[in-house]
Amino acid sequence: MKISARNQFHGKVAQVTMGAVNAQVLVTLAGGEQIVAIVTNESVKSLDLRASADVIALVKASSVLVMTDDTGIRLSARNSLSGKVTALEKGPIHAEVSIGLASGDSLHATITQAACDALGLAEGIDATAVIKAPSVILGVPD
């Protein structure tokens, strides 16, 4: 599969919680981090999502928010993956931020140049990628 989503994480389904229309799927990534996806019940059926099933979690870089200091703020976004900024490419309007996770995986975000400056982003600083669960797309290997 070739796809434009920069963030592609291999993992296993840890839990599926069915709702009336959508399901919450908890995925344990290869490095031990966990990510939550909200998908339709039909997707759960058609992809045969069940505990221990292999999945690929896809997240577009533009769907990733970057936080450098949580100051005790609680967020409604289900996914927070912490690491260090490993690469930063600044452009005139946007910046691409790469956050290295403890597992060795990297997560990529595209944010505005103004946000990059306001956060004081630089290689080596601590940063957290924040992703809303409905922004996570799940795929299964053939």
Side-chain angles (χ1 to χ4, degrees), residues 12-17 23-29 33-37 50-52 55 78-79 138:
K12 289 196 177 283
V13 173
Q15 182 180 25
V16 177
T17 305
Q24 174 181 284
V25 182
L26 178 63
V27 177
T28 302
L29 304 180
E33 299 94 349
Q34 290 192 313
I35 193 165
V36 176
R50 58 187 165 15
S52 78
V55 293
R78 296 294 307 276
N79 300 298
L138 297 179

Side-chain angles (χ1 to χ4, degrees), residues 55-94:
V55 293
I56 301 168
L58 305 167
V59 182
K60 291 181 59 72
S62 58
S63 295
V64 178
L65 303 176
V66 177
M67 181 170 61
T68 55
D69 183 8
D70 69 11
T71 62
I73 295 173
R74 295 183 340 172
L75 301 172
S76 63
R78 296 294 307 276
N79 300 298
S80 294
L81 301 169
S82 296
K84 289 197 178 290
V85 175
T86 56
L88 183 61
E89 185 175 330
K90 294 181 178 183
I93 299 171
H94 286 93

